[in-house]
Amino acid sequence: MHQRALLVLLMLVSSLVRAEICERDDRGQTLCLAQPAMRIATLSPGATELVFAAGAGDRVVAVVEFSDYPPEAKAITSVGNHGRIDLETLVALKPDLVIDWVSGNTAQKDKLDVLDFPVFSIEPQTFEGVSTALERLGRLAGTAAAGQTAADDFRDGIADLARRYRDQPPVTVFYEVWEEPLMTVSDQQLIGKVITLCGGDNVFGDQDSLIPRIDVESVLAANPEAILAGGMGEANDRWLEPWRQYPGLLATQRDNLFFVPPSLVQRPTPRLLEGSRIFCDHLERARGRR
């Protein structure tokens, strides 16, 4: 009888160990949860999108400023912004999982750790990173099937674009990520990877910085065949207008000045697939104008 009770106890302990959910985050740290998260705080708009896409949107109890997608996120309590988190409000919401952004919230990362929140840090830098973020978040929230479906759909969509454009003639591209100061992206930045995916040749791709500052003269010297820009809003293409004053610029001559809604390419979420399709369509249009 004693041996039987011991065996039952060992089986119980074994099942509890197996039930623990452990995932490695983008800081290289491993987080283990005893059970799936039921109250999630997302400390960046990108993290909010990813958690919703992984099927756990109904478990999000706290977001930050500019968490505007999906629309349901706008109704969730905000606990601050990229630079400052209202820790008192966050504590009151009692999250059992905090998703932060590797390059954001750095000033308060130590405070989050001291408060003993389970913190999982993400910031996808590649297409595959978007998919694995969805998978990991789904497992942590107990929505693994939804996270896996979203991850696979994204992988398949990116692979389809890669097949479609890998043999297309290259188009030299300048992408304007900010107007003043004038900023662009290197090949190592995710938007730079979108340029390559679509058969583009980023004229500032070899820069050391992910988001290098440049000047107008550098763009004119590079003379890109196409200029793409995001702008300050989802339908504001004002940043393209200044380039029309340079008729000697190849992109201007051929009217290859294209707008891309910024949230579709500047957040590493599943919507990046939609943004990539728009980006590729623009470059294909530029090829047709030769």
Side-chain angles (χ1 to χ4, degrees), residues 42-51 63-70 73 81-82 101 267 269 271:
T42 56
L43 303 188
S44 80
T48 302
E49 280 196 36
L50 285 163
V51 170
V63 298
V64 290
E65 189 178 6
F66 302 120
S67 292
D68 52 9
Y69 190 87
N81 54 43
H82 173 83
W101 210 243
R267 291 182 188 174
T269 71
R271 289 199 295 161

Side-chain angles (χ1 to χ4, degrees), residues 233-287:
E234 295 304 287
N236 183 353
D237 62 358
R238 179 180 61 81
W239 286 1
L240 293 169
E241 290 306 310
W243 300 109
R244 298 189 187 281
Q245 66 182 301
Y246 302 106
L249 195 60
L250 188 56
T252 302
Q253 289 175 19
R254 297 182 179 175
D255 198 27
N256 290 336
L257 304 175
F258 302 117
F259 175 76
V260 182
S263 69
L264 298 184
V265 291
Q266 292 180 190
R267 291 182 188 174
T269 71
R271 289 199 295 161
L272 181 62
L273 178 57
E274 181 183 351
S276 297
R277 288 171 175 152
I278 292 171
F279 214 108
C280 291
D281 285 345
H282 286 326
L283 296 197
E284 191 65 7
R285 194 169 295 116
R287 292 185 186 98

Side-chain angles (χ1 to χ4, degrees), residues 33-89:
L33 300 179
Q35 59 190 15
M38 300 301 295
R39 297 182 62 80
I40 302 173
T42 56
L43 303 188
S44 80
T48 302
E49 280 196 36
L50 285 163
V51 170
F52 268 86
D58 60 345
R59 303 183 183 193
V60 178
V61 297
V63 298
V64 290
E65 189 178 6
F66 302 120
S67 292
D68 52 9
Y69 190 87
E72 305 93 281
K74 298 177 184 178
I76 300 173
T77 301
S78 175
V79 292
N81 54 43
H82 173 83
R84 183 182 181 280
I85 302 300
D86 182 343
L87 295 175
E88 184 176 349
T89 301

Side-chain angles (χ1 to χ4, degrees), residues 36-234:
M38 300 301 295
R39 297 182 62 80
I40 302 173
T42 56
L43 303 188
S44 80
T48 302
E49 280 196 36
L50 285 163
V51 170
F52 268 86
D58 60 345
R59 303 183 183 193
V60 178
V61 297
V63 298
V64 290
E65 189 178 6
F66 302 120
S67 292
D68 52 9
Y69 190 87
E72 305 93 281
K74 298 177 184 178
I76 300 173
T77 301
S78 175
V79 292
N81 54 43
H82 173 83
R84 183 182 181 280
I85 302 300
D86 182 343
L87 295 175
E88 184 176 349
T89 301
L90 184 62
V91 169
L93 290 168
K94 299 179 180 179
D96 54 11
L97 176 61
V98 175
I99 309 296
D100 82 339
W101 210 243
V102 172
S103 64
N105 319 120
T106 52
Q108 292 180 279
K109 179 69 169 62
D110 291 343
K111 293 180 180 178
L112 292 172
D113 292 338
V114 168
L115 290 170
D116 205 28
F117 286 126
V119 178
F120 193 76
S121 301
I122 57 172
E123 186 166 4
Q125 301 288 341
T126 64
F127 298 126
E128 180 59 19
V130 174
S131 287
T132 59
L134 291 166
E135 291 166 342
R136 288 175 288 160
L137 292 172
R139 288 191 290 264
L140 288 170
T143 57
Q148 189 65 60
T149 297
D152 289 343
D153 288 347
F154 184 79
R155 280 194 187 98
D156 291 346
I158 292 296
D160 178 65
L161 290 176
R163 285 190 298 268
R164 192 182 310 176
Y165 293 104
R166 65 189 172 195
D167 295 325
Q168 291 297 313
V171 177
T172 55
V173 175
F174 163 59
Y175 181 81
E176 182 177 342
V177 72
W178 201 255
E179 183 184 36
E180 292 183 5
L182 188 60
M183 302 173 77
T184 187
V185 296
S186 73
D187 283 345
Q188 299 309 307
Q189 208 271 348
L190 196 48
I191 299 172
K193 297 181 191 302
V194 172
I195 295 173
T196 301
L197 176 74
C198 297
D201 180 9
N202 182 0
V203 295
F204 295 105
D206 61 354
Q207 296 289 303
D208 293 333
S209 172
L210 291 178
I211 309 289
R213 292 190 182 190
I214 55 171
D215 52 36
V216 171
E217 290 71 23
S218 297
V219 178
L220 297 177
N223 197 23
E225 186 176 357
I227 293 177
L228 290 87
M232 295 292 289
E234 295 304 287

